[in-house]
Amino acid sequence: MFQAFGVHGPELTPFADMVIDVLLVALAFALLVTAPRTSRHDVYLLATFVAAVTALRVLLQPLPNVQPVTVAALLVGAQLGARRGVAFAVLVTLLSNLLIGDGWWTLFQAIGWGAVAVIGSQLNLGTADKFRSGQLYVAAVCSAFVFDFIASLSIVTSGTTLSDFAVYLAHGLPFDVLHALGNLTFAVWFGHFVFRALESIDSLEELEQSVVEDYVVEG
């Protein structure tokens, strides 16, 4: 299955790469399908956001560990719920890595940004008129370290010792700090705007409540 061991973990054969990508795509669409009453407008808006964040990540690739995906995953999770947040995270990871570089690490990056989306789903950022920006800023900084730790697990093999992994994490701390500062910048820059834009898509909780209410009325 593995060809060699690279900087970001084992290098996969093309077939193994394809299997991981197909499984991640299947997961993303399964999560989207479970979101009830998703209109075409909602799908188009979410797809546009996926494309925009993907493009921005690719454009910012020359900057070490500075990208908008973490903050975007937080916001999508906060506004649209964990399932669509994770689906968003998986799709952005796959699309951007097709251009930047796909491999074993893609799985861990998808898990990392998916975890960030789940964290976002637990946030109460208020409304567009009463936006709790402070919560987003704190979550954006903390999520950088959560994501980087999960993504770092891609280098772990049966021969990796705890001390080896600790040294690897220590060497990555400057990049973690850059990630956190970048997240804070993105949160200040477009956090409120994106949060307001995503309000046009009903949150997953609102959709589920609507389904329950319609069932009660029809019953």
Side-chain angles (χ1 to χ4, degrees), residues 87-161:
F88 166 84
V90 169
L91 290 174
V92 170
T93 304
L94 284 172
L95 289 174
S96 57
N97 278 11
L98 285 176
L99 299 172
I100 295 172
D102 194 17
W104 175 242
W105 54 89
T106 297
L107 175 62
F108 292 86
Q109 289 176 336
I111 293 172
W113 276 316
V116 170
V118 173
I119 292 171
S121 70
Q122 302 305 308
L123 297 178
N124 181 9
L125 297 180
T127 64
D129 295 329
K130 295 182 179 179
F131 182 60
R132 298 189 178 105
S133 57
Q135 282 197 31
L136 177 62
Y137 300 160
V138 172
V141 170
C142 294
S143 293
F145 297 95
V146 173
F147 168 80
D148 289 340
F149 176 79
I150 295 174
S152 296
L153 294 174
S154 65
I155 66 105
V156 176
T157 66
S158 58
T160 304
T161 65

Side-chain angles (χ1 to χ4, degrees), residues 8 26 37 46 50 55 65 92-93 97 124 149 152 170 172 199 210-211:
H8 299 293
R37 293 190 178 185
L46 189 59
V50 167
N65 226 20
V92 170
T93 304
N97 278 11
N124 181 9
F149 176 79
S152 296
E199 273 201 324
S210 177
V211 170

Side-chain angles (χ1 to χ4, degrees), residues 169-208:
L169 292 178
H171 286 167
L173 276 177
F175 298 98
D176 297 343
V177 172
L178 284 174
H179 187 179
L181 291 175
N183 284 356
L184 182 59
T185 301
F186 286 121
V188 172
W189 177 27
F190 64 61
H192 191 192
F193 170 78
V194 171
F195 185 82
R196 187 170 63 248
L198 290 172
E199 273 201 324
S200 62
I201 304 178
D202 291 333
S203 71
L204 191 58
E205 290 74 16
E206 290 172 338
L207 289 167
E208 290 172 342

Side-chain angles (χ1 to χ4, degrees), residues 26-97:
L27 171 64
F29 279 95
L31 290 169
L32 290 174
V33 167
T34 60
R37 293 190 178 185
T38 301
S39 69
R40 287 186 179 181
H41 172 268
D42 297 346
V43 172
Y44 293 152
L45 182 57
L46 189 59
T48 299
F49 193 45
V50 167
V53 173
T54 297
L56 193 53
R57 184 191 177 206
V58 173
L59 289 173
L60 293 175
Q61 178 61 17
L63 301 178
N65 226 20
V66 176
Q67 42 69 29
V69 186
T70 309
V71 174
L74 277 173
L75 290 166
V76 174
Q79 276 291 66
L80 306 182
R83 278 180 277 183
R84 280 190 277 190
V86 173
F88 166 84
V90 169
L91 290 174
V92 170
T93 304
L94 284 172
L95 289 174
S96 57
N97 278 11

